[in-house]
Amino acid sequence: MPRILIVNGPNLNLLGKREPEIYGSETLDKMNKRLDAMAKELHIDVEFFQSNSEGEIIDYLQQKGFEADGLIINPGAFTHYSYALRDVITAIGIEAVEVHLSNIYSREKFRRKSVIAPVVTGQITGFGFYGYAMALSYFADLKEE
Amino acid sequence: MPRILIVNGPNLNLLGKREPEIYGSETLDKMNKRLDAMAKELHIDVEFFQSNSEGEIIDYLQQKGFEADGLIINPGAFTHYSYALRDVITAIGIEAVEVHLSNIYSREKFRRKSVIAPVVTGQITGFGFYGYAMALSYFADLKEE
Amino acid sequence: MPRILIVNGPNLNLLGKREPEIYGSETLDKMNKRLDAMAKELHIDVEFFQSNSEGEIIDYLQQKGFEADGLIINPGAFTHYSYALRDVITAIGIEAVEVHLSNIYSREKFRRKSVIAPVVTGQITGFGFYGYAMALSYFADLKEE
Amino acid sequence: MPRILIVNGPNLNLLGKREPEIYGSETLDKMNKRLDAMAKELHIDVEFFQSNSEGEIIDYLQQKGFEADGLIINPGAFTHYSYALRDVITAIGIEAVEVHLSNIYSREKFRRKSVIAPVVTGQITGFGFYGYAMALSYFADLKEE
Amino acid sequence: MPRILIVNGPNLNLLGKREPEIYGSETLDKMNKRLDAMAKELHIDVEFFQSNSEGEIIDYLQQKGFEADGLIINPGAFTHYSYALRDVITAIGIEAVEVHLSNIYSREKFRRKSVIAPVVTGQITGFGFYGYAMALSYFADLKEE
Amino acid sequence: MPRILIVNGPNLNLLGKREPEIYGSETLDKMNKRLDAMAKELHIDVEFFQSNSEGEIIDYLQQKGFEADGLIINPGAFTHYSYALRDVITAIGIEAVEVHLSNIYSREKFRRKSVIAPVVTGQITGFGFYGYAMALSYFADLKEE
Amino acid sequence: MPRILIVNGPNLNLLGKREPEIYGSETLDKMNKRLDAMAKELHIDVEFFQSNSEGEIIDYLQQKGFEADGLIINPGAFTHYSYALRDVITAIGIEAVEVHLSNIYSREKFRRKSVIAPVVTGQITGFGFYGYAMALSYFADLKEE
Amino acid sequence: MPRILIVNGPNLNLLGKREPEIYGSETLDKMNKRLDAMAKELHIDVEFFQSNSEGEIIDYLQQKGFEADGLIINPGAFTHYSYALRDVITAIGIEAVEVHLSNIYSREKFRRKSVIAPVVTGQITGFGFYGYAMALSYFADLKEE
Amino acid sequence: MPRILIVNGPNLNLLGKREPEIYGSETLDKMNKRLDAMAKELHIDVEFFQSNSEGEIIDYLQQKGFEADGLIINPGAFTHYSYALRDVITAIGIEAVEVHLSNIYSREKFRRKSVIAPVVTGQITGFGFYGYAMALSYFADLKEE
Amino acid sequence: MPRILIVNGPNLNLLGKREPEIYGSETLDKMNKRLDAMAKELHIDVEFFQSNSEGEIIDYLQQKGFEADGLIINPGAFTHYSYALRDVITAIGIEAVEVHLSNIYSREKFRRKSVIAPVVTGQITGFGFYGYAMALSYFADLKEE
Amino acid sequence: MPRILIVNGPNLNLLGKREPEIYGSETLDKMNKRLDAMAKELHIDVEFFQSNSEGEIIDYLQQKGFEADGLIINPGAFTHYSYALRDVITAIGIEAVEVHLSNIYSREKFRRKSVIAPVVTGQITGFGFYGYAMALSYFADLKEE
Amino acid sequence: MPRILIVNGPNLNLLGKREPEIYGSETLDKMNKRLDAMAKELHIDVEFFQSNSEGEIIDYLQQKGFEADGLIINPGAFTHYSYALRDVITAIGIEAVEVHLSNIYSREKFRRKSVIAPVVTGQITGFGFYGYAMALSYFADLKEE
């Protein structure tokens, strides 16, 4: 059974409490439960992680990344400047999908630049919760081929 | 039954014949057939259109867009400069999803800028054929809610 | 009787149906009729053309431009990138007036740059339908001198 | 009877004496007389003001602007840097039309940027004296509606 | 008793009448009265000056600045381009505090740049009337040390 | 009694030991004690926090921020790149004041840009310890209104 | 016998009628006849195409390009923005030579940038008709080797 | 006897009192006296003017410039942004020499750009008082030829 | 015996496992052992530290830096954005040498900019392990003088 | 018999020994012999010069350029920064053709900018040896007209 | 008797033969003779040098610069890129005056930037031969003080 | 015995006489003697070369570079613009180490950019004489492996 890591960056633990007009009203916990259920149906093993600390996310990926088959990551604000996060993805050689809840290309200028995007397979932006589901389906589909 | 337009821009009719190391070896025709089958299962009505001409795509969207429930568009090279295409999406007020076969953020610099992205719901980039399938699922999911 | 071409670019055929808070609620057809009536009073012969295709507008100007005495053009989104449209105006050596319905200097950044403006007599921006009327009066006034 | 202010910025009092190949050979005084005559026909009350001093123009607009129905302004070189002039137009909440004698988009690079344009209704550039006449007609037309 | 100059730049005499959602509804006169009362309590001598003219503000500072112990200045729109104002502050060698009513870092792009800031002791931005009070307290505190 | 958080970012725990010609010779501890005494007089409840870690500051603000009435923050070097810190301020919806000891606009170029400033009420820069006191007074004044 | 396509972009059909001081006084038709004669001598089969429409040029290259041995293209104004034209050259994998009549490096700034140049074998600019002849000779020379 | 205007811009009336390490310790008055003496020897009629107001300098040049044979101008801080000053020099068609006391190319970045320089005969920078003397000699020399 | 800190930033603990074609196949542990042996010969006391967390590196440097005689630091990806790291080096006043394994000037553009470099004695880039050895020798040499 | 100078800049004497995958395997000497033979057939007198020194090339062109009828120049790396070379071409008023062996528009970014191109008749880039031959033919053709 | 070096850079030996509409019709030789005569009157010892080679000018300045009292230099095109020339002026610690015949601020954009200007006492631009004379007078004047 | 070339660019022959606060007080001659002694110990054959002329350095490298095993180069000011020097290093295929005496990243902005760095093995900057010694040790170490 393939193993997929689902990692969320800073402030994503506030989902549901934070600016619902941009990020929706569902909590991260509930979102993760829906993804877990979906993963079970797809016969995928998922593991969730969230941290507000760049260093902790890197530590986590170094520990779990070598054994995992894929990574779904919403780097939050780290998207725009964390070259360290970019480096760890390359270093552990994991296939990664970058997800954003809102359409980062129709917001403030600084949100349009992702330093992570050049090292992932693909980026999904603007679909809220559904973006994570899309990414999970992608890994399920990959497994079948 | 919702109606979704699936529009491909310049040179995408060469899929399968063109740089397979970047775009894969499946033809556009075959890809569209797979999407059609998938749409039937999801009880969605899809209509396909491809053109190398900016004007023809705008004409098409003006004729079909007001009646349709959604648009999946891979604007090809028009992504990078066709403000006219951007305007027609806003003008007909259609919900649109932008799809790219390759990860445009890990290629030449000019490919990283999309003038279309600010007016769509979301962008999916880097998943090959699977990107269209993701977009279709999104509209199916939307319908259910 | 002087002959003036009145050319509208992409998506301007949607006038009245499209974002009325920006572009007003009058259709292009009705606007052209008002201009035609005004032209008759001014003893000017006007001819209308609209297309969503850059190539068609260039073809039209090449066919009609050498015989005409003036051009009133709203290039729509082509304003911002169509150097080919700019070249044809210079090539046929026609006196041109550039018109925009909305004030392009108080909208998105990309709308503030016109590649057409350096080759026209003048630019009128922000007065809705009245901008075309101003341009027509200008040619009438010119004729009198 | 509506009251329109017609304000000219620095060096425009030299009209007729200054670079006639760019600005024409008519003096400001004569131009204003023609506008006055035209205003009388349109049943509009116009008041003229010219100054080479940014502070004086702001003072004038603060004193007269709250009572007036519109402003026709050729800010001369202030167009390119006077944010204070821009602020006073917003502050007094007057509808303004920006006029330039020459086509500022076909001259030196610094002339292409107007810091005033984002706060006016529209801009008319390149038609010499006729630009003021267009602006006056616009206010007359507005009154009728 | 220390003497502090309180100088306001262009359009700040319109306070209370101008865009109250940004600048509040209190007039400059009333604001100055509150500051005067506060100064009396702090045993500071304050003098107020407002002008829409860059030259007049420079003249004023040259006349009064050499004798004064401090300057509280809200340069209004001159903030963004008046290098002459910057030079006079350096030239008279006065300790200055720059105040802005609104948070200039969350408004239009041109407002984010202050050519004055590099030559003052500090900048206070975003606190409305309270910014002037803060600056006055600072000079009072300074006197005590 | 209102509750205000006073947060200091990286290296501010070195105050007094570090570059006294720029930052003064008072330690953070002593500074906080003065602020605490001042707060008592103003009937405000203050809580101090300092960390060299971006993640820890975000964690702290997520835990304490929802219950607090205001935030005084000197983000230290995070000022210039921590979009994650900016996001948490917006996310918890707290009124914040940004403070800097030195005048960041008269130092190295990179210090002139604050990614935090657009989401705070105001910024106070250049007044050393007194900047924190100004911010505290502001919240006291706010409470009274 | 090798087959070379000779494609001219927008407004090049106006050659001879258009700005002769820049582009010379020979018509496109006459120029093509001279090239045809030259081709016969070199035992090369040439085919000519001109269009003002980006889409038509792409269609043409998709239909004829796979069978041809080389392409001589003067993209006219498309040189500066048509990434779609660039993509079709790469997609059909044809060896291409880019030709410009005038020296694009000594004219307006926008003419100095070619988005086509990175995907062709070489660029010839500034030699009028002779540039096409040089390109043809190159293909003849290639054939011999 | 030729007539030369010698105009000094904002803050130059503070010469001798202001930053002597940059501008020297001689007052403007004394400097002008030396120039006057020198002019007498050279049989040149000089007239001095200084103002801190852009508008006053423009007024002065419009009144005196048409009759004068040359202009020596140190625009002070207006050097860097007063396009109105630049325009009046062109408008009155006077031969002008731009003088700066300090070497503007070895100071802050904003001082390196002169908007006046493109419309003068020449620029002399870095020689203190001697720069004015050089300019005066130039006009004397010109007269002789 | 002088004491030198040797600090490695994020992902450098993956050395030997990570992209060996860029970073070589030796692990960090083995590298540190070689440096330790070399230090013994040079009569230098070295202490090693690695962390993926910016905050932890700053904490470490604040605790150990005041007592140490020098710092050899490979900031990894923090090189490009951690102004907090830069500040701590200045704050503790330690002589530092910046080391990079690969030649950062022949890789991606973002790697070419070091925000750390302006505050160190020198930078050594491109020599793999040998760069650390060079730095150690430098401190040994320094001690002798 | 017309006289054409053929000048090669720095490192072009290494042709054949240097990076043959970019520049081909033919030596400069052999290339010049082929050009000489070709020139004889075309009844043109050619003279060859190569130097690694900017000064020597300028000296050469000053000595030989006034008497020559044309210049074929491959400025090598001087293409990108030698304004002195550009000036000498203008100064001696010689018709020049700029040749590059490789397609400079598909290599590193700095190679795309030629400071020489604005002062030559035309530029030929990407055709290896054949570029020189094209240039020679051009001069032959010119002579015939 | 003070010793002044007068150095002219590339192509200035062509004076009189080269673009007389920009640089005048006097030869360098004649110009130098006039300067020599003037120097004699001022009791200054002058030495002339011209070279088209950057290296030769540096060699010359290293040999003669330490003994000389001043340098008048027209760096020609080296003005815009020769940091080596800039370094030698600083290295030999000579007082230098930069002279340009034409007004470099009213010509092509690249001519407006001088890399030499920040290390000289002053710059004189636009006065033809007279600029050298001004510089010489300056050194004479200096000597007297 | 390996052969290493040690090349110093413009003005480095002035070492010891030139700005000792930046470059130290040791002459180039003495520095080379120390390096020579060190090389003898390491059984390396070194050869020294210095020139102020770009062309001479290129000539030297073309003559000696093919036979040498390594190059230590301090390009002086050529670092910042000599693409010709960069090209010769690539052309002769020699392993090179770039050395700078001062820390080029903490000085003027133009010194931070090296056009040489992308084609060398590594860069050592800021260690004075010791940088050359480091580079020599590197080649010695390389030989042993």
Side-chain angles (χ1 to χ4, degrees), chain D residues 54 59 62 84 87-88 90, chain E residues 11 13 19 52 77 81 110-111:
Chain D
E54 184 192 32
D59 287 348
Q62 289 189 355
D87 275 1
V88 76
T90 312
Chain E
N11 297 309
N13 57 330
E19 298 153 291
N52 296 322
Y81 58 103
F110 75 85
R111 295 206 199 268

Side-chain angles (χ1 to χ4, degrees), chain H residues 3 11 17:
Chain H
R3 181 180 195 74
N11 298 309
K17 300 160 213 163

Side-chain angles (χ1 to χ4, degrees), chain B residues 18-142:
Chain B
R18 170 196 185 193
E19 300 154 287
E21 73 288 358
I22 303 179
Y23 299 103
S25 58
E26 199 174 23
T27 62
L28 182 60
D29 202 54
K30 226 165 139 187
M31 234 174 73
N32 284 350
K33 280 197 181 112
R34 281 172 69 188
L35 283 172
D36 201 38
M38 183 182 164
K40 284 210 173 70
E41 279 185 43
L42 296 164
H43 300 287
I44 288 176
D45 187 20
V46 292
E47 183 175 320
F48 300 97
F49 185 73
Q50 190 278 335
S51 172
N52 296 322
S53 159
E54 184 191 33
E56 282 176 19
I57 297 178
I58 296 169
D59 287 348
Y60 175 82
L61 288 174
Q62 289 189 354
Q63 288 156 26
K64 300 294 179 74
F66 286 103
E67 310 295 292
D69 299 289
L71 167 66
I72 298 172
I73 186 161
N74 179 341
F78 291 157
T79 303
H80 315 304
Y81 58 103
S82 180
Y83 288 107
L85 201 46
R86 170 195 181 124
D87 275 1
V88 76
I89 293 172
T90 312
I92 59 179
I94 198 169
E95 173 160 16
V97 173
E98 182 185 344
V99 174
H100 297 283
L101 292 161
S102 62
N103 179 354
I104 59 176
Y105 301 106
S106 62
R107 299 180 64 197
E108 300 99 321
K109 196 180 167 190
F110 73 84
R111 294 204 200 270
R112 283 177 229 159
K113 184 188 164 197
S114 167
V115 304
I116 306 299
V119 301
V120 299
T121 296
Q123 190 194 56
I124 300 169
T125 180
F127 300 99
F129 163 78
Y130 205 77
Y132 295 87
M134 284 168 165
L136 201 54
S137 303
Y138 168 72
F139 282 116
D141 196 69
L142 208 69

